[in-house]
Amino acid sequence: MNLAELSHMQTAERLVPHADVNTMPTLGQVVARMAAEVAMPLTAALERVLALASSGRIDRPGLQALRAEIDGARRVGLRGQQIARFASGEVRQHMERLDLADLLRQVLDEQALQQPGAPISGRTALGAAEVMGDASLVHAVLQVAADWSGAHAHNGIDWRLDLKPWPAHARVVCHFAHQPADQAPDAAAPAAFRESRLDTLDWLLLQYTAHIAGVSVRRQDSRSHSTLTLEFQHTVNVTLEGTSAVDLSAADVAVPSLAGSQVLVLAARRETRQGLREALQGQDLLIDYVSTVAAAAQYCEGGAPQLLVYESSFDGDALWALRVRLSKLLSGVAMIEVLPSGQQCEMGDGTPESVTRLGADGLRHMLPSMITLEMARRRQL
């Protein structure tokens, strides 16, 4: 992934007059923000060192301040490195089923320990939600969201985790006052408030990290308050309730190997075939491609595959009959339907009526893990 592709990332919604909500941070903006945030602590540190050189003395508070200023500049450099890594696309995700409430509690507990004096305590209402994702990456999204809000909050931060009814996506909502109400700019002079004060390097990092993790980001700002909403597109569908969760990071004895598995791809669109090839590259699978349901049915007469992947456009009586036939085989055939676009993932229960569906935009990051999960569940049925 390059910076040009990042221009399609979702933008933040800001309830601020004259704010441009249709542009994403460019490389120039990232560099400018890094320069601005590193200049202030380094300038302060330089002045302190010059004073030390002149007087030859420094007290404990001055030494602590110097250390804090150097740490601040170092943190900016680390943030820049993280953004560069995400922008380059050099991120390999290991998908597994995650308890989002547990992850958020861990992040908030860690923040409370690291910043005991920060105004981070507020109302917390965490419902139950599970998502598919890379544990370290999802944790990073929540961590940088907590860091960004904690850096701007003037009193308690309210956190909420719930489920959006349709589409069924988990949402993490963070609400806080970014400045005291009595200091908020006058409504008659909205230009006095510039949301750029909130667009720190942490905010840019959050946008990049969330994009890689498949999390949409929305932000609404008023003159005194901000509301951040993180929507997780890979929320585990309710059809998984009552089935065994498969930890895709577990040992090989618990997770079936994909090596040597037979996969039949029913796809007519060139884009879909190419996307599947890229997603399954290096998986050591035996893959055959057909472009019609009749060809797929004829293929299965000579021996059923372990997995059938098909485009949603083939949905009809002929495909339904093939799915019913394959679902009755003792060996079990996992089935995944590829939707034309999007990154949504809906888990089925192995029956023809309910198959696993995956958006075409999520193939590269999600498909191998979905295949592993589906094949493991078929073996348990």
Side-chain angles (χ1 to χ4, degrees):
M1 182 178 65
N2 53 42
L3 288 171
E5 293 173 320
L6 287 169
S7 64
H8 299 290
M9 292 163 56
Q10 287 199 351
T11 60
E13 296 177 1
R14 300 185 181 91
L15 301 181
V16 181
H18 311 302
D20 187 357
V21 300
N22 297 314
T23 58
M24 281 302 299
T26 64
L27 179 58
Q29 289 173 313
V30 172
V31 173
R33 174 54 62 179
M34 288 181 62
E37 292 193 16
V38 79
M40 184 178 296
L42 286 184
T43 299
L46 178 59
E47 292 176 353
R48 205 174 299 277
V49 170
L50 292 176
L52 170 62
S54 175
S55 65
R57 298 177 59 185
I58 186 170
D59 55 15
R60 182 176 294 275
L63 184 60
Q64 292 175 340
L66 179 60
R67 177 176 179 177
E69 289 154 359
I70 295 175
D71 283 344
R74 177 177 177 273
R75 184 175 180 275
V76 172
L78 293 176
R79 287 298 199 234
Q81 289 178 351
Q82 289 176 288
I83 291 177
R85 177 169 172 260
F86 290 133
S88 69
E90 297 176 359
V91 179
R92 297 184 63 86
Q93 299 190 51
H94 185 74
M95 310 300 288
E96 57 184 291
R97 188 170 175 172
L98 304 171
D99 187 318
L100 193 56
D102 279 351
L103 280 178
L104 183 53
R105 287 192 192 94
Q106 291 174 20
V107 167
L108 297 181
D109 288 345
E110 291 169 2
Q111 187 184 44
L113 290 174
Q114 294 173 2
Q115 304 175 18
I120 59 176
S121 59
R123 292 174 297 179
T124 303
L126 305 185
E130 291 185 321
V131 298
M132 294 297 299
D134 180 272
S136 61
L137 191 56
V138 173
H139 185 279
V141 172
L142 299 175
Q143 182 68 65
V144 72
D147 290 343
W148 174 77
S149 59
H152 295 287
H154 280 259
N155 49 33
I157 304 173
D158 296 337
W159 291 89
R160 186 178 78 250
L161 168 60
D162 60 14
L163 283 174
K164 179 181 177 182
W166 182 256
H169 289 167
R171 291 183 302 192
V172 171
V173 181
C174 165
H175 180 75
F176 62 94
H178 55 73
Q179 60 183 335
D182 58 354
Q183 298 180 17
D186 189 350
F193 171 69
R194 294 300 299 169
E195 76 284 359
S196 60
R197 182 174 59 82
L198 301 174
D199 293 341
T200 60
L201 200 61
D202 277 342
W203 173 251
L204 302 186
L205 177 60
L206 175 60
Q207 291 179 291
Y208 281 85
T209 311
H211 174 72
I212 297 297
V215 179
S216 64
V217 179
R218 297 196 309 276
R219 193 179 105 200
Q220 295 179 323
D221 297 330
S222 70
R223 294 187 306 276
S224 60
H225 287 76
S226 289
T227 300
L228 169 67
T229 302
L230 304 175
E231 187 169 318
F232 291 76
Q233 301 174 19
H234 304 321
T235 303
V236 174
N237 191 273
V238 292
T239 54
L240 262 180
E241 293 299 326
T243 63
S244 299
V246 178
D247 184 354
L248 300 181
S249 64
D252 291 340
V253 295
V255 179
S257 172
L258 299 182
S261 297
Q262 185 70 45
V263 179
L264 177 61
V265 174
L266 171 56
R269 297 174 65 242
R270 178 181 177 183
E271 295 84 353
T272 303
R273 292 183 178 225
Q274 182 61 30
L276 289 168
R277 288 191 183 96
E278 293 176 355
L280 298 176
Q281 186 176 6
Q283 295 296 323
D284 195 18
L285 297 168
L286 303 176
I287 307 175
D288 290 302
Y289 294 84
V290 293
S291 57
T292 65
V293 177
Q298 183 178 6
Y299 177 96
C300 293
E301 289 177 359
Q306 279 80 48
L307 172 70
L308 172 65
V309 181
Y310 63 90
E311 289 179 317
S312 59
S313 59
F314 285 101
D315 192 22
D317 293 340
L319 180 60
W320 172 258
L322 177 61
R323 286 166 50 187
V324 170
R325 179 176 138 203
L326 294 178
S327 68
K328 294 180 179 179
L329 297 178
L330 293 178
S331 59
V333 178
M335 288 178 273
I336 296 178
E337 178 179 332
V338 179
L339 303 176
S341 62
Q343 298 188 19
Q344 64 268 38
C345 176
E346 300 177 3
M347 300 300 300
D349 58 9
T351 64
E353 295 87 352
S354 179
V355 300
T356 290
R357 294 179 173 85
L358 182 61
D361 298 331
L363 289 176
R364 186 168 185 178
H365 296 308
M366 296 287 290
L367 186 59
S369 297
M370 290 300 97
I371 293 176
T372 303
L373 180 58
E374 276 296 300
M375 291 179 64
R377 292 201 304 125
R378 289 300 302 172
R379 293 184 184 186
Q380 294 172 357
L381 295 177

